[in-house]
Amino acid sequence: MSLRGCVLAVLIAACMTNGGIGPAGAQTSRLLATVDLPCAGSVLQQPASWYLPVSAPRGLVWLQHGFARDDANVAALAESLSDAGYLVFAPSLPFVNVSGCTLQNLGDNTQFLNGVAQLFATAGDPGGPLARSLATAAARTGRTAPALPAQFVFVGHSAGAEAAEYVAYRLHTTAGWSGLRGLVLLDPVESFLGDNTDRALTDLDPTAVPVLTISGPPGLCNNFGSGTAALQTRLHRSFVGVRLPSGEHTDAEGTSTDILGQLACGIPQQANVTTLQHLTTGWTSDFFTGAHTAGLYPAARSGVVAAAPGAQSLGGA
């Protein structure tokens, strides 16, 4: 969200409970838990949702909400991904914290995001924080937690997209990189402070890891397209995603949005929500399998992405 959108969101949030209205999935199970994250010498126990597919997971997806939102606001997209066979981890990360442990960079949140990166760097450890969170969530409902997949994809919305970029960068420069298969960034927003987006994308640019966006037109809630512009500037790739001409910033939330999201950033458009979920799920599948599914990318001659009717194909630098 933009500064104006953020202020409006905080004001509204102070007056009402921020609860998503996402639908109950017919095929998947949402399990509630917490996840331990280091914060300035202490540990935050942040709420988190896990979405279990009906069969063995095809991969792990980290799905990160945007600024002043929570995990309930991405429930519809989480269920779409889980229905496609993926184990989905959707944590709620703070947007206000006196120690700077926040989703968006409001000062210097890099140490906090380094801790988020450690979740995935240690995902193979049964005693690690990610595995503990899943095991606890499953035990509460009498289930046995599946083993965490060794491969993962990051999907981030708004400020959550910048967080996903930065965590990917940290994995590349420390540990855990071998498990990352790709990033899907939904109307990404670059923080007003710091250089997290530019630093991350500059590092990711020469790698083979795909980074694709589904963006809306520039406006207040996406800081006038700052995150998308950064992608097009920093990534030297022929295709970096699509822009939905009538897109709303809340399209990523779909039926999981609430009055807060609608007042601040518009009402999701069903056609755009359908396109966004289809592309996100399709690209995620391709990232894990290495496929290049026709219709999800620009056609050779026309440049049209068949799965996104009317969308503008975006190229990099």
Side-chain angles (χ1 to χ4, degrees):
M1 290 184 181
S2 69
L3 181 58
R4 177 179 172 182
C6 293
V7 171
L8 178 57
V10 172
L11 289 176
I12 297 173
C15 301
M16 55 188 301
T17 300
N18 179 18
I21 55 173
Q27 301 179 40
T28 63
S29 297
R30 179 191 181 198
L31 307 182
L32 302 180
T34 60
V35 63
D36 293 342
L37 290 170
C39 171
S42 63
V43 175
L44 296 180
Q45 288 191 324
Q46 289 299 121
S49 293
W50 288 91
Y51 294 80
L52 274 61
V54 294
S55 56
R58 300 171 60 195
L60 171 64
V61 176
W62 168 33
L63 175 58
Q64 187 55 58
H65 64 75
F67 180 84
R69 311 301 279 155
D70 64 25
D71 60 303
N73 295 124
V74 290
L77 181 55
E79 292 191 4
S80 176
L81 287 161
S82 191
D83 284 347
Y86 303 107
L87 176 64
V88 181
F89 169 60
S92 289
L93 299 186
F95 68 92
V96 174
N97 181 278
V98 294
S99 299
C101 303
T102 55
L103 172 66
Q104 189 167 2
N105 195 358
L106 302 176
D108 184 359
N109 67 343
T110 55
Q111 287 304 309
F112 177 64
L113 293 181
N114 291 347
V116 176
Q118 280 300 302
L119 294 178
F120 303 97
T122 61
D125 179 2
L130 203 59
R132 292 200 311 269
S133 175
L134 175 58
T136 299
R140 287 176 177 171
T141 59
R143 298 168 179 261
T144 299
L148 282 173
Q151 298 182 347
F152 37 85
V153 165
F154 295 166
V155 179
H157 174 224
S158 190
E162 180 179 77
E165 293 165 350
Y166 190 84
V167 169
Y169 151 68
R170 286 297 299 171
L171 294 180
H172 189 216
T173 56
T174 55
W177 175 252
S178 61
L180 183 61
R181 288 296 174 262
L183 288 80
V184 180
L185 310 175
L186 307 175
D187 213 16
V189 176
E190 189 172 8
S191 292
F192 290 99
L193 302 177
D195 62 350
N196 288 1
T197 288
D198 290 344
R199 193 190 325 177
L201 293 178
T202 298
D203 177 80
L204 295 174
D205 180 33
T207 74
V209 167
V211 181
L212 295 175
T213 185
I214 306 167
S215 300
L220 288 172
C221 282
N222 62 18
N223 191 21
F224 298 98
S226 63
T228 303
L231 281 171
Q232 293 188 275
T233 301
R234 299 288 175 178
L235 295 184
H236 295 78
R237 305 178 183 188
S238 60
F239 179 64
V240 297
V242 299
R243 174 174 282 122
L244 305 179
S246 62
E248 297 285 358
H249 194 59
T250 51
D251 287 337
E253 297 181 348
T255 56
S256 302
T257 197
D258 53 18
I259 190 65
L260 166 64
Q262 293 179 42
L263 287 174
C265 294
I267 299 173
Q269 303 300 303
Q270 186 54 53
N272 291 329
V273 172
T274 299
T275 295
L276 182 146
Q277 292 186 357
H278 180 58
L279 284 178
T280 299
T281 303
W283 287 343
T284 295
S285 177
D286 280 1
F287 294 168
F288 280 121
T289 63
H292 191 85
T293 302
L296 298 179
Y297 309 92
R301 293 186 178 180
S302 67
V304 172
V305 178
Q312 175 190 0
S313 179
L314 302 175

